[in-house]
Amino acid sequence: MASGFLGNAPTVTRNLIIINIIVFAATFFGERLAGSSILGQLFALHPFESHFFHWWQPVTYLFLHGGFWHILFNMYTLYIFGCVVENIIGSKKFLTFYLICGIGAAALHLLVQHLTNDYAPTVGASGSIYGVLIAFAALFPESRLTLLFPPVSLSAKWMVIIFAVIELTTGFTGAGASIAHFAHLGGMLVGWLLILFWRKTGTLFDKERWI
């Protein structure tokens, strides 16, 4: 069992954070020792048209990050919301949810890249994490959340709606071009559809725990 900061985190959320930190450290030191990013070349999400694309990248890109603040924000958000969602729906279902949201985010992002002739590789867990945010809002729509900037408090359902509008707007206008806005939207869309499907089939809550 883990202790300290992650000691109270459920199994999947805790292990996802640990794996992301290990991969980030390996990438960071590998780049400085080797002078190039072998991990990035192999495991980042490259466009279909690129000769660097491999079938495993729609999953592995989730465990790579572009810098300290990138991984810090993603892992903090995963910790805050992932712990709650995993404790509610169960560890096995949460892992399935997390990975499917990430793959869905990759699919929409790759489609947009193909349509816009964008050939930049993509890294980061944000697609899955935006799916986790949708799941939290679906489970606790009236829960109050407060942004750091601006310091406003909104219900979870309105918070994710605003996030979705911002991502859609910036995606179409090209603002923040280095951010994969449509990957975020893909994760949110797939997460929302998954929650709807599981609710409709009565299979949303899976109490199996992994320890």
Side-chain angles (χ1 to χ4, degrees), residues 80-100:
I80 295 298
F81 296 101
C83 287
V84 177
V85 175
E86 182 178 347
N87 279 327
I88 294 295
I89 70 175
S91 298
K92 182 178 180 180
K93 189 169 289 294
F94 180 74
L95 179 59
T96 301
F97 180 84
Y98 185 91
L99 293 176
I100 291 177

Side-chain angles (χ1 to χ4, degrees), residues 5 11 32 36 55 60 75 80 84 88 115 120 124 180 191-192 197:
F5 175 67
T11 305
R32 277 144 188 82
S36 62
W55 63 266
T60 58
M75 294 303 101
I80 295 298
V84 177
I88 294 295
L115 295 174
W192 178 62
F197 174 75

Side-chain angles (χ1 to χ4, degrees), residues 160-205:
V160 297
I161 289 171
I162 290 171
F163 281 176
V165 171
I166 290 173
E167 293 296 332
L168 189 63
T169 302
T170 51
F172 277 113
T173 60
S178 62
I179 300 173
H181 299 291
F182 286 100
H184 297 170
L185 288 167
M188 296 178 83
L189 175 61
V190 171
W192 178 62
L193 292 174
L194 268 177
I195 294 296
L196 285 180
F197 174 75
W198 284 337
R199 275 184 165 168
K200 185 175 182 179
T201 57
T203 59
L204 177 59
F205 303 106

Side-chain angles (χ1 to χ4, degrees), residues 42-188:
L42 285 174
F43 300 118
L45 181 65
H46 293 269
F48 284 126
E49 295 85 356
S50 171
H51 64 277
F52 291 117
F53 177 80
H54 298 288
W55 63 266
W56 56 77
Q57 291 174 357
V59 173
T60 58
Y61 85 104
L62 293 168
F63 299 94
L64 296 170
H65 286 83
F68 174 76
W69 293 110
H70 189 201
I71 190 172
L72 178 64
F73 177 79
N74 276 350
M75 294 303 101
Y76 176 76
T77 308
L78 175 59
Y79 178 78
I80 295 298
F81 296 101
C83 287
V84 177
V85 175
E86 182 178 347
N87 279 327
I88 294 295
I89 70 175
S91 298
K92 182 178 180 180
K93 189 169 289 294
F94 180 74
L95 179 59
T96 301
F97 180 84
Y98 185 91
L99 293 176
I100 291 177
C101 285
I103 294 170
L108 183 58
H109 180 69
L110 288 172
L111 175 61
V112 172
Q113 281 193 309
H114 175 73
L115 295 174
T116 59
N117 296 316
D118 177 8
Y119 300 108
T122 304
V123 296
S126 300
S128 288
I129 291 170
Y130 269 74
V132 173
L133 288 173
I134 280 285
F136 180 88
L139 293 167
F140 306 100
E142 300 303 327
S143 177
R144 304 296 291 183
L145 301 176
T146 303
L147 290 172
L148 294 177
F149 182 81
V152 296
S153 181
L154 296 169
S155 66
K157 66 181 180 182
W158 279 110
M159 190 76 77
V160 297
I161 289 171
I162 290 171
F163 281 176
V165 171
I166 290 173
E167 293 296 332
L168 189 63
T169 302
T170 51
F172 277 113
T173 60
S178 62
I179 300 173
H181 299 291
F182 286 100
H184 297 170
L185 288 167
M188 296 178 83

